[in-house]
PDB file of all heavy atoms in Angstrom:
ATOM      1  N   ILE A  66       9.631  -5.780  -4.845  1.00 91.00           N
ATOM      2  CA  ILE A  66      11.011  -6.216  -4.910  1.00 91.00           C
ATOM      3  C   ILE A  66      11.913  -5.116  -5.495  1.00 91.00           C
ATOM      4  O   ILE A  66      13.088  -5.014  -5.164  1.00 91.00           O
ATOM      5  CB  ILE A  66      11.116  -7.557  -5.693  1.00 91.00           C
ATOM      6  CG1 ILE A  66      12.404  -8.263  -5.333  1.00 91.00           C
ATOM      7  CG2 ILE A  66      10.918  -7.402  -7.179  1.00 91.00           C
ATOM      8  CD1 ILE A  66      12.512  -8.587  -3.859  1.00 91.00           C
ATOM      9  N   ARG A  73      18.957  -2.061  -1.163  1.00 95.00           N
ATOM     10  CA  ARG A  73      20.193  -2.856  -1.035  1.00 95.00           C
ATOM     11  C   ARG A  73      21.304  -2.228  -1.874  1.00 95.00           C
ATOM     12  O   ARG A  73      22.430  -2.059  -1.448  1.00 95.00           O
ATOM     13  CB  ARG A  73      19.915  -4.293  -1.475  1.00 95.00           C
ATOM     14  CG  ARG A  73      20.974  -5.258  -0.960  1.00 95.00           C
ATOM     15  CD  ARG A  73      20.769  -6.713  -1.408  1.00 95.00           C
ATOM     16  NE  ARG A  73      19.399  -7.170  -1.318  1.00 95.00           N
ATOM     17  CZ  ARG A  73      18.719  -7.680  -2.349  1.00 95.00           C
ATOM     18  NH1 ARG A  73      19.273  -7.771  -3.536  1.00 95.00           N
ATOM     19  NH2 ARG A  73      17.486  -8.117  -2.191  1.00 95.00           N
ATOM     20  N   ARG A 199       5.347 -19.799  -5.380  1.00 88.00           N
ATOM     21  CA  ARG A 199       6.695 -20.059  -5.924  1.00 88.00           C
ATOM     22  C   ARG A 199       7.155 -18.874  -6.768  1.00 88.00           C
ATOM     23  O   ARG A 199       8.306 -18.481  -6.717  1.00 88.00           O
ATOM     24  CB  ARG A 199       6.711 -21.318  -6.808  1.00 88.00           C
ATOM     25  CG  ARG A 199       6.339 -22.581  -6.123  1.00 88.00           C
ATOM     26  CD  ARG A 199       7.503 -23.325  -5.505  1.00 88.00           C
ATOM     27  NE  ARG A 199       8.629 -23.589  -6.383  1.00 88.00           N
ATOM     28  CZ  ARG A 199       9.843 -23.892  -5.925  1.00 88.00           C
ATOM     29  NH1 ARG A 199      10.076 -23.916  -4.649  1.00 88.00           N
ATOM     30  NH2 ARG A 199      10.832 -24.163  -6.770  1.00 88.00           N
ATOM     31  N   VAL A 200       6.222 -18.331  -7.550  1.00 88.00           N
ATOM     32  CA  VAL A 200       6.568 -17.186  -8.402  1.00 88.00           C
ATOM     33  C   VAL A 200       6.932 -15.991  -7.514  1.00 88.00           C
ATOM     34  O   VAL A 200       7.898 -15.266  -7.768  1.00 88.00           O
ATOM     35  CB  VAL A 200       5.400 -16.835  -9.353  1.00 88.00           C
ATOM     36  CG1 VAL A 200       5.705 -15.588 -10.174  1.00 88.00           C
ATOM     37  CG2 VAL A 200       5.089 -18.012 -10.268  1.00 88.00           C
ATOM     38  N   GLN A 201       6.176 -15.810  -6.428  1.00 85.00           N
ATOM     39  CA  GLN A 201       6.476 -14.715  -5.494  1.00 85.00           C
ATOM     40  C   GLN A 201       7.850 -14.916  -4.869  1.00 85.00           C
ATOM     41  O   GLN A 201       8.618 -13.970  -4.717  1.00 85.00           O
ATOM     42  CB  GLN A 201       5.424 -14.657  -4.387  1.00 85.00           C
ATOM     43  CG  GLN A 201       4.084 -14.140  -4.874  1.00 85.00           C
ATOM     44  CD  GLN A 201       3.106 -13.976  -3.717  1.00 85.00           C
ATOM     45  OE1 GLN A 201       3.459 -13.518  -2.643  1.00 85.00           O
ATOM     46  NE2 GLN A 201       1.870 -14.355  -3.935  1.00 85.00           N
ATOM     47  N   GLU A 202       8.136 -16.199  -4.499  1.00 84.00           N
ATOM     48  CA  GLU A 202       9.434 -16.482  -3.874  1.00 84.00           C
ATOM     49  C   GLU A 202      10.589 -16.170  -4.823  1.00 84.00           C
ATOM     50  O   GLU A 202      11.645 -15.731  -4.407  1.00 84.00           O
ATOM     51  CB  GLU A 202       9.497 -17.956  -3.443  1.00 84.00           C
ATOM     52  CG  GLU A 202       8.816 -18.200  -2.103  1.00 84.00           C
ATOM     53  CD  GLU A 202       8.473 -19.667  -1.881  1.00 84.00           C
ATOM     54  OE1 GLU A 202       9.104 -20.543  -2.547  1.00 84.00           O
ATOM     55  OE2 GLU A 202       7.582 -19.920  -1.072  1.00 84.00           O
ATOM     56  N   PHE A 203      10.366 -16.402  -6.120  1.00 81.00           N
ATOM     57  CA  PHE A 203      11.406 -16.093  -7.099  1.00 81.00           C
ATOM     58  C   PHE A 203      11.414 -14.607  -7.456  1.00 81.00           C
ATOM     59  O   PHE A 203      12.122 -14.180  -8.348  1.00 81.00           O
ATOM     60  CB  PHE A 203      11.240 -16.947  -8.368  1.00 81.00           C
ATOM     61  CG  PHE A 203      11.829 -18.316  -8.243  1.00 81.00           C
ATOM     62  CD1 PHE A 203      11.028 -19.429  -8.092  1.00 81.00           C
ATOM     63  CD2 PHE A 203      13.214 -18.495  -8.249  1.00 81.00           C
ATOM     64  CE1 PHE A 203      11.577 -20.711  -7.966  1.00 81.00           C
ATOM     65  CE2 PHE A 203      13.769 -19.754  -8.118  1.00 81.00           C
ATOM     66  CZ  PHE A 203      12.953 -20.874  -7.965  1.00 81.00           C
ATOM     67  N   GLN A 204      10.591 -13.858  -6.755  1.00 81.00           N
ATOM     68  CA  GLN A 204      10.532 -12.404  -6.890  1.00 81.00           C
ATOM     69  C   GLN A 204      10.130 -11.969  -8.293  1.00 81.00           C
ATOM     70  O   GLN A 204      10.638 -11.001  -8.852  1.00 81.00           O
ATOM     71  CB  GLN A 204      11.871 -11.793  -6.472  1.00 81.00           C
ATOM     72  CG  GLN A 204      12.213 -12.291  -5.072  1.00 81.00           C
ATOM     73  CD  GLN A 204      13.490 -11.754  -4.496  1.00 81.00           C
ATOM     74  OE1 GLN A 204      14.364 -11.361  -5.237  1.00 81.00           O
ATOM     75  NE2 GLN A 204      13.583 -11.728  -3.197  1.00 81.00           N
ATOM     76  N   LEU A 205       9.203 -12.751  -8.862  1.00 85.00           N
ATOM     77  CA  LEU A 205       8.773 -12.462 -10.230  1.00 85.00           C
ATOM     78  C   LEU A 205       7.289 -12.113 -10.289  1.00 85.00           C
ATOM     79  O   LEU A 205       6.661 -12.253 -11.339  1.00 85.00           O
ATOM     80  CB  LEU A 205       9.069 -13.666 -11.134  1.00 85.00           C
ATOM     81  CG  LEU A 205      10.552 -13.904 -11.412  1.00 85.00           C
ATOM     82  CD1 LEU A 205      10.760 -15.222 -12.148  1.00 85.00           C
ATOM     83  CD2 LEU A 205      11.145 -12.750 -12.224  1.00 85.00           C
ATOM     84  N   GLU A 206       6.745 -11.668  -9.161  1.00 84.00           N
ATOM     85  CA  GLU A 206       5.310 -11.375  -9.148  1.00 84.00           C
ATOM     86  C   GLU A 206       4.969 -10.283 -10.158  1.00 84.00           C
ATOM     87  O   GLU A 206       3.937 -10.321 -10.814  1.00 84.00           O
ATOM     88  CB  GLU A 206       4.856 -10.949  -7.741  1.00 84.00           C
ATOM     89  CG  GLU A 206       3.344 -10.869  -7.643  1.00 84.00           C
ATOM     90  CD  GLU A 206       2.824 -10.745  -6.225  1.00 84.00           C
ATOM     91  OE1 GLU A 206       3.593 -10.371  -5.322  1.00 84.00           O
ATOM     92  OE2 GLU A 206       1.621 -11.015  -6.032  1.00 84.00           O
ATOM     93  N   TRP A 207       5.883  -9.318 -10.311  1.00 81.00           N
ATOM     94  CA  TRP A 207       5.646  -8.211 -11.241  1.00 81.00           C
ATOM     95  C   TRP A 207       5.481  -8.727 -12.673  1.00 81.00           C
ATOM     96  O   TRP A 207       4.650  -8.235 -13.431  1.00 81.00           O
ATOM     97  CB  TRP A 207       6.794  -7.200 -11.169  1.00 81.00           C
ATOM     98  CG  TRP A 207       8.126  -7.801 -11.509  1.00 81.00           C
ATOM     99  CD1 TRP A 207       8.968  -8.470 -10.670  1.00 81.00           C
ATOM    100  CD2 TRP A 207       8.749  -7.825 -12.800  1.00 81.00           C
ATOM    101  NE1 TRP A 207      10.068  -8.922 -11.341  1.00 81.00           N
ATOM    102  CE2 TRP A 207       9.974  -8.530 -12.652  1.00 81.00           C
ATOM    103  CE3 TRP A 207       8.417  -7.334 -14.057  1.00 81.00           C
ATOM    104  CZ2 TRP A 207      10.845  -8.747 -13.713  1.00 81.00           C
ATOM    105  CZ3 TRP A 207       9.294  -7.543 -15.114  1.00 81.00           C
ATOM    106  CH2 TRP A 207      10.481  -8.237 -14.934  1.00 81.00           C
TER     107      TRP A 207
END
Side-chain angles (χ1 to χ4, degrees):
I66 201 60
R73 199 182 316 124
R199 299 270 308 161
V200 176
Q201 288 185 41
E202 278 161 21
F203 277 106
Q204 306 181 336
L205 290 172
E206 190 168 19
W207 59 275

